[in-house]
Amino acid sequence: MATATPPAQTPVAPVQHRSVAPNAVLAAALLGFVVISLDAFVVNVALPAIGNDLKGGIAGLQWIVDGYTLTFAALMLSAGAFSDRVGASRAFAGGLALFTLASVACGLVTEMWMLVAARLVQGVAASLTMPASLAMVRQAFTDAHQRTRAIATWTAGGAIATTVGPAVGGLLTSAWSWRVIFFINLPIGIIGLLLLRRAPRSPRRAAPLDLLGQLLAILGLAGLTIGVIEGGARGYGEPEVIGAFVLAAVAVTAFLIVESRQEHPTMPLGLFRLRPVSMSIAAGFAVNVAWYGTIFLLSLYFQKVLHQNAFVAGLMFVPATALVAISNLFVAAKVIQRFGPRLPMVVGQAGTVTGLILLLFVDAGTPPALVALVAVPVGFAGALAVPALTGLLLGSVEAERAGTAAGVLNTIRQVGGAIAVAVFGALVAGQAGFSAGMRISLVIAAVVLGATTVVTLSV
């Protein structure tokens, strides 16, 4: 679900040994990953409070979420190669420092556009920090068994952060202010950077960078998101909105042409010719459409329709997000080992569709606890599908391409979440009203996920 797909393990490069404490390195990497994962969800329940304070409409709230998610997703394509070029420890230190400073800026803003700009910077920093954090763990633990346990701990940190994110965001917003959800990153970042002093200096590797492909990917995603969000706010006939869609179309077309001719492309298009790979990526996209879209919708629904405060709204997500962690950490691996990846992919996607359909029947008179219970299948079943589709993807490519394939999967999953927030936000802000827009959004998510479920069954 919200947790990142760890790239496939590669041989650990030699490092410059100094007074290295592997557990300190793991702690630093874990804090970096946790704070990135936390920020993907902690903001959602604070959106109404932010909108009231900064006087922003739905479009501004969409950008607060998508500004972070889109830059994170787009730059993930090159983040691994950049980390290799400068060294994982340097990339992590720079990314975590930038993330911490951007978080402080988020807490100090006085205008909506300032917050969106700071969230964009947070997304850039997150894309630097995430792959570098895992690389540092690999380098610090030379024993294969210890390294496996360390990576499992790293993965669990992201799952736990996802679980507590909405509740923490709601508690801090209700007890103090939405600004505290950003200020809390300051001590975490400082501790992480201090722990980093015990990390080895990572080696540098001449990894190729596809800068043109990366730029076109950013322009394409930005144009599409601007078109959807601003079209929902201003109308799709406005020249600026039409221009954004044209930019997206031109950039995506150019991206595909460039990637097909590059010797070292950011996104190797040949991967999509492998049916298990393309199926896994499509399913990952659809699952994130459902999950990120549902979190965004329900965060607003609990407060705008059911009139709950931010803390109660955050607590309403705990059953679903807790089962995400349980499914990721304890259930999925056993099911995959026994039945292979396809069955849990089908069950996970179909279960999520079931949860989306059940949510269609909630209204202003539905008790909040019942809404929270109905949302559980969306979290649990989706979390069953993601490890399975990741395993299928990594098992379908050569070992030397596994890291690239995982990076493409992570990017497209995040893009799915960003597009869901853009489209669903435009629908709930439309003339039909919030409740009608929410139902249309849930139907869209169910149809998209239903289609990938059928594809999984047929391949």
Side-chain angles (χ1 to χ4, degrees):
M1 297 299 300
T3 54
T5 303
Q9 294 195 29
T10 54
V12 179
V15 297
Q16 296 178 15
H17 292 288
R18 54 183 179 178
S19 180
V20 177
N23 288 333
V25 176
L26 174 60
L30 185 60
L31 284 175
F33 187 36
V34 163
V35 79
I36 289 168
S37 302
L38 195 65
D39 252 57
F41 288 95
V42 73
V43 173
N44 279 276
V45 293
L47 290 176
I50 294 173
N52 291 335
D53 193 8
L54 300 183
K55 312 302 180 187
I58 287 288
L61 303 184
Q62 290 170 277
W63 275 116
I64 291 170
V65 177
D66 273 357
Y68 179 79
T69 306
L70 275 176
T71 48
F72 188 13
L75 293 174
M76 276 286 291
L77 287 170
S78 297
F82 179 80
S83 177
D84 286 343
R85 287 177 71 92
V86 303
S89 59
R90 298 176 186 85
F92 180 85
L96 185 56
L98 181 61
F99 189 91
T100 303
L101 293 173
S103 297
V104 173
C106 286
L108 295 174
V109 299
T110 56
E111 301 286 345
M112 182 68 78
W113 69 265
M114 296 178 182
L115 180 55
V116 172
R119 289 285 284 171
L120 288 169
V121 177
Q122 276 191 315
V124 173
S127 72
L128 294 174
T129 306
M130 202 281 282
S133 67
L134 183 56
M136 288 197 314
V137 172
R138 290 178 180 172
Q139 294 168 3
F141 291 84
T142 55
D143 177 78
H145 179 67
Q146 292 181 346
R147 187 165 61 249
T148 299
R149 290 180 60 185
I151 291 174
T153 301
W154 180 88
T155 303
I160 293 170
T162 299
T163 300
V164 303
V168 169
L171 174 62
L172 295 177
T173 300
S174 295
W176 291 284
S177 165
W178 62 265
R179 298 178 187 275
V180 181
I181 66 176
F182 296 110
F183 289 142
I184 197 173
N185 293 338
L186 178 60
I188 297 175
I190 291 173
I191 293 170
L193 290 170
L194 290 175
L195 288 169
L196 192 62
R197 298 178 63 186
R198 304 301 303 276
R201 287 196 180 93
S202 302
R204 301 183 183 187
R205 184 171 66 86
L209 283 174
D210 176 14
L211 295 179
L212 179 57
Q214 178 66 85
L215 176 61
L216 290 171
I218 293 171
L219 291 175
L221 290 175
L224 178 61
T225 308
I226 290 170
V228 174
I229 292 178
E230 297 303 319
R234 304 182 188 181
Y236 289 98
E238 292 295 317
E240 296 88 348
V241 175
I242 296 173
F245 283 124
V246 171
L247 171 64
V250 171
V252 169
T253 302
F255 175 78
L256 295 175
I257 294 172
V258 168
E259 296 305 279
S260 67
R261 299 177 179 179
Q262 280 276 21
E263 183 179 359
H264 300 288
T266 290
M267 183 181 290
L269 301 182
L271 286 173
F272 294 91
R273 299 190 188 101
L274 302 171
R275 294 192 72 181
V277 172
S278 58
M279 179 181 70
S280 298
I281 290 174
F285 174 90
V287 168
N288 267 35
V289 166
W291 180 240
Y292 277 77
T294 300
I295 290 286
F296 178 77
L297 291 172
L298 291 184
S299 295
L300 298 175
Y301 174 82
F302 282 132
Q303 296 177 72
K304 287 182 173 292
V305 177
L306 299 186
H307 306 292
Q308 302 295 319
N309 62 36
F311 179 50
V312 173
L315 288 178
M316 292 298 99
F317 288 107
V318 170
T321 54
L323 286 174
V324 169
I326 292 171
S327 182
N328 267 317
L329 298 176
F330 303 111
V331 178
K334 294 180 180 179
V335 174
I336 294 167
Q337 287 173 1
R338 182 167 182 178
F339 299 104
R342 290 180 188 270
L343 179 61
M345 280 180 67
V346 171
V347 172
Q349 292 177 88
T352 304
V353 171
T354 301
L356 293 169
I357 293 172
L358 290 174
L359 284 171
L360 290 173
F361 296 96
V362 305
D363 55 31
T366 306
L370 181 58
V371 180
L373 184 63
V374 170
V376 166
V378 180
F380 181 77
L384 183 64
V386 170
L389 65 89
T390 302
L392 179 62
L393 176 137
L394 295 179
S396 303
V397 299
E398 302 90 343
E400 60 270 18
R401 302 178 74 190
T404 300
V408 172
L409 173 62
N410 276 330
T411 295
I412 293 182
R413 284 180 58 207
Q414 294 297 322
V415 169
I419 290 177
V421 170
V423 173
F424 297 175
L427 288 170
V428 298
Q431 295 181 350
F434 186 94
S435 295
M438 177 173 165
R439 289 190 175 91
I440 295 171
S441 300
L442 292 170
V443 169
I444 291 172
V447 169
V448 171
L449 199 52
T452 58
T453 306
V454 172
V455 170
T456 305
L457 278 169
S458 63
V459 174

